[in-house]
Amino acid sequence: MTPFAQNITFVISLGVVVLNILSVILLWILVLGTPDKKNKDLGSKIASHALVLSALIAIGGTIGSLIYSSVIGFIPCEFCWWARILLFPQAVLFFVAWFRSWKYKITDSAVYIYALVFSIMGVLVTGFHYYGQMFNPSLLDACIATGVSCSQIPFVEFGYITIPWMAFSTFVALALVIGIKLRFSK
């Protein structure tokens, strides 16, 4: 990997670490509510900003994916294509929903249901890909027939972050933000 690609990977991986930490906090809020009963509005505050948060997460994941394929030159494997199919439309959905709410004051809560379905499927696809890549590469042997091997690991940052983990983290964060939106919306 070139020094440029290493630097990009390091920066994106730092973002993934932050996203993982935030996901743990979001999971805590989703399952247990806020730790401080006096500040039970935290779930509602996150829910009120869920559209912008979801748009930022989906657009960030899309940009990261495009950087790896278009700038750095990694060819996506079949599982990576499935992850893209499940992520890229969410960036468009959330951007359009945000624009409509900002420009026309129109809110469409159905976007969260559509995105939640995409996110859950994304968690399953990328979770399986990560597991196969890191722990059982023989699960991904069939991918070799389609071109790029899904078990190929171009990098491992901080001991656990790979491209499938980046996608998995994005889908988990999206699902948690949407879950909080659905649970704490007024």
Side-chain angles (χ1 to χ4, degrees):
M1 205 165 30
T2 67
F4 173 75
Q6 289 173 340
N7 290 335
I8 293 293
T9 298
F10 180 76
V11 169
I12 292 174
S13 295
L14 282 177
V16 170
V17 169
V18 170
L19 194 61
N20 293 160
I21 292 167
L22 290 175
S23 292
V24 170
I25 294 167
L26 292 172
L27 181 63
W28 177 282
I29 292 169
L30 180 63
V31 174
L32 301 175
T34 56
D36 181 8
K37 296 299 177 192
K38 294 177 187 173
N39 192 14
K40 61 184 175 183
D41 291 347
L42 185 57
S44 298
K45 287 179 186 175
I46 293 169
S48 68
H49 297 291
L51 190 57
V52 173
L53 290 170
S54 299
L56 289 173
I57 293 167
I59 291 169
T62 299
I63 290 170
S65 176
L66 292 173
I67 285 172
Y68 276 118
S69 63
S70 300
V71 177
I72 294 175
F74 291 160
I75 300 170
C77 69
E78 191 163 329
F79 274 105
C80 291
W81 275 113
W82 281 106
R84 286 173 163 213
I85 289 168
L86 296 168
L87 179 62
F88 288 11
Q90 290 191 66
V92 175
L93 281 172
F94 282 121
F95 179 77
V96 170
W98 168 79
F99 181 77
R100 288 181 55 172
S101 72
W102 170 73
K103 179 78 172 170
Y104 303 109
K105 307 299 182 225
I106 298 171
T107 56
D108 184 9
S109 58
V111 71
Y112 296 106
I113 302 301
Y114 306 143
L116 184 60
V117 172
F118 278 107
S119 294
I120 290 171
M121 291 187 328
V123 165
L124 295 174
V125 167
T126 58
F128 178 80
H129 187 191
Y130 183 75
Y131 173 78
Q133 192 181 56
M134 296 298 284
F135 304 108
N136 193 354
S138 63
L139 284 175
L140 305 174
D141 283 345
C143 291
I144 296 171
T146 62
V148 178
S149 172
C150 295
S151 61
Q152 177 183 345
I153 304 174
F155 63 84
V156 177
E157 197 70 34
F158 303 127
Y160 74 102
I161 297 176
T162 64
I163 291 174
W165 183 263
M166 291 175 175
F168 178 79
S169 298
T170 302
F171 286 119
V172 166
L174 282 168
L176 290 171
V177 169
I178 294 166
I180 288 173
K181 170 66 176 176
L182 297 175
R183 178 176 178 202
F184 290 98
S185 286
K186 294 179 181 179

